């Protein structure tokens, strides 16, 4: 009897161990997890941890990209914000927000990053909108595009203006074998602006008063503009006093107010041209009327 009871106890313990092993086997556990997973949504769950987006069913060895690692490539170095209307300089391929780089070129013709001269007179003509980069930024930064659209809508609404409608995308013809690559300039050069000036300051006579230094010495104007127009431009930009007179010289010739730039080019010739620019020297002297 004792041997029978021992055998039955031993067989019972072995049976329990087998059941535990069966329940703990990978096949059974996978089945249990799959069954429990049916209660949740069938969509892939995502977890956001410190700017990283992870999929619960993603492999453990899959590399995740942190948004902070991409910021040097999607931030404007002028405003330090995400690119809005990403615009690239064609000379050095540095990218900024469109509004930021346009404002910068009002005061300088150099790239804010590498300091290269973008264009002697009109740097705005050497920038291009980068639609692909802007699309990438909008996909990486959540709700950025929606926020920007809301700001634009609020801007026009506050001023009682009509909100501009987005440009409709043109359908692509199936018959085209090769896509046409288009690079549209942000600004088009007007044909009437046919003369580029280089304004060189040669000094000011004592007593002409305080004045502001000319920030942009490269100017592109029409050939029909006169020396009088150039003087008015200098007066406004340099904030000159009425007692100050502006003398403008081209080569060895003191120019008159009525002379047009095209006439000066014809009369003086290539001696006044430097690297395709008409060089005009100007100085500040006391007006004869102020001495009387």
């Amino acid at each position: 009897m004792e041997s029978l009871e021992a055998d039955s106890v031993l067989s019972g313990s072995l049976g329990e161990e087998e059941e535990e092993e069966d329940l703990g086997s990978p096949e059974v556990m996978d089945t249990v997890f799959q069954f429990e997973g049916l209660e949740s949504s069938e969509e892939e769950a995502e977890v956001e941890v410190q700017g990283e987006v992870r999929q619960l069913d993603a492999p453990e060895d899959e590399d995740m990209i942190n948004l902070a690692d991409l910021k040097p490539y999607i931030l404007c170095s002028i405003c330090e914000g995400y690119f809005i209307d990403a615009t690239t300089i064609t000379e050095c391929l540095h990218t900024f927000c469109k509004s930021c780089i346009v404002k910068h070129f009002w005061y300088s013709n150099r790239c804010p990053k590498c300091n290269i001269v973008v264009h002697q007179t009109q740097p705005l003509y050497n920038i291009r909108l980068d639609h692909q980069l802007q699309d990438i930024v909008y996909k990486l930064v959540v709700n950025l595009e929606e926020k920007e659209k809301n700001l634009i809508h609020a801007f026009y609404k506050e001023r009682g203006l009509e909100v501009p409608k987005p440009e409709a995308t043109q359908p692509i013809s199936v018959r085209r074998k090769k896509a046409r690559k288009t690079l549209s300039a942000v600004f088009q050069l007007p044909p009437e602006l046919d003369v580029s000036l280089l304004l060189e300051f040669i000094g000011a006579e004592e007593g002409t008063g305080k004045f502001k230094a000319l920030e942009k010495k490269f100017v592109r104007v029409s050939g029909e503009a006169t020396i009088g127009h150039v003087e008015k431009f200098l007066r406004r930009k340099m904030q000159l006093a009425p007692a100050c007179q502006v003398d403008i010289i081209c080569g060895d010739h003191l120019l008159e107010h009525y002379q047009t730039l095209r006439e000066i080019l014809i009369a003086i010739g290539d001696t006044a041209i430097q690297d395709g620019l008409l060089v005009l020297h100007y100085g500040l002297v006391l007006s004869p009327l102020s001495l009387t």
Side-chain angles (χ1 to χ4, degrees):
M1 293 293 292
E2 293 179 357
S3 62
L4 292 175
E5 291 177 359
D7 293 339
S8 62
V9 171
L10 181 61
S11 62
S13 63
L14 289 175
E16 292 177 357
E17 291 179 359
E18 290 178 356
E19 290 178 359
E20 290 178 358
E21 290 179 358
D22 291 340
L23 289 175
S25 63
E27 293 81 3
V28 175
M29 295 302 292
D30 289 343
T31 306
V32 173
F33 288 145
Q34 290 176 3
F35 179 77
E36 292 178 354
L38 294 176
E39 298 178 359
S40 61
S41 174
E42 295 181 357
E43 298 180 355
E44 296 179 353
E46 295 182 352
V47 179
E48 185 173 354
V49 181
Q50 296 179 354
E52 296 182 358
V53 178
R54 297 179 179 271
Q55 292 184 354
L56 294 180
D57 59 347
E60 294 181 357
D61 57 347
E62 183 177 350
D63 295 333
M64 296 298 171
I65 300 177
N66 196 319
L67 183 60
D69 298 333
L70 298 176
K71 282 188 176 181
Y73 308 99
I74 59 177
L75 288 182
C76 173
S77 60
I78 298 178
C79 67
E80 298 182 353
Y82 294 112
F83 288 138
I84 300 297
D85 292 334
T87 302
T88 301
I89 299 175
T90 58
E91 299 298 312
C92 56
L93 301 182
H94 288 136
T95 305
F96 311 89
C97 298
K98 177 182 174 182
S99 59
C100 293
I101 193 61
V102 169
K103 290 178 183 177
H104 172 80
F105 281 153
W106 277 106
Y107 306 100
S108 173
N109 64 344
R110 295 179 177 270
C111 172
K113 268 195 173 181
C114 63
N115 206 36
I116 187 177
V117 176
V118 178
H119 192 278
Q120 290 288 356
T121 57
Q122 296 295 338
L124 292 176
Y125 300 139
N126 283 4
I127 58 178
R128 299 291 185 272
L129 293 173
D130 195 333
H131 298 287
Q132 292 182 347
L133 178 57
Q134 189 60 59
D135 290 341
I136 294 173
V137 174
Y138 282 151
K139 290 182 182 298
L140 289 174
V141 184
V142 181
N143 296 329
L144 178 62
E145 184 176 10
E146 183 178 355
K147 290 179 181 178
E148 185 62 23
K149 289 180 179 179
N150 293 336
L151 288 174
I152 294 174
H153 187 274
F155 175 86
Y156 283 92
K157 189 175 181 180
E158 288 176 1
R159 290 158 178 78
L161 303 175
E162 183 180 357
V163 180
K165 297 180 180 179
E167 296 181 359
T169 55
Q170 297 295 333
I172 301 175
S173 177
V174 181
R175 296 181 180 179
R176 292 183 181 178
K177 296 182 180 180
K178 187 176 180 181
R180 183 182 300 175
K181 187 177 180 181
T182 58
L183 290 175
S184 57
V186 178
F187 297 92
Q188 298 293 336
L189 180 65
E192 62 271 13
L193 301 182
D194 54 355
V195 177
S196 298
L197 298 180
L198 172 57
L199 302 175
E200 293 284 3
F201 182 56
I202 57 177
E205 188 178 1
E206 186 177 355
T208 52
K210 297 181 180 180
F211 58 88
K212 185 179 179 181
L214 186 64
E215 295 177 347
K216 295 178 64 176
K217 62 180 181 179
F218 299 99
V219 185
R220 193 174 184 90
V221 296
S222 169
E224 299 301 323
T226 65
I227 296 300
H229 292 122
V230 178
E231 180 183 351
K232 290 180 180 179
F233 170 79
L234 293 172
R235 284 189 172 280
R236 184 175 68 255
K237 293 295 183 181
M238 301 178 67
Q239 300 176 3
L240 300 178
C244 180
Q245 176 178 317
V246 182
D247 285 346
I248 301 177
I249 303 170
C250 184
D252 298 329
H253 303 273
L254 179 63
L255 303 177
E256 300 293 340
H257 285 189
Y258 61 85
Q259 290 181 282
T260 65
L261 298 178
R262 187 171 287 111
E263 291 173 351
I264 295 170
L265 284 172
I266 296 173
I268 300 178
D270 296 337
T271 56
I273 302 298
Q274 177 182 331
D275 297 330
L277 305 172
L278 176 61
V279 183
L280 300 180
H281 295 85
Y282 65 96
L284 307 180
V285 298
L286 284 174
S287 173
L289 298 178
S290 64
L291 300 176
T292 57

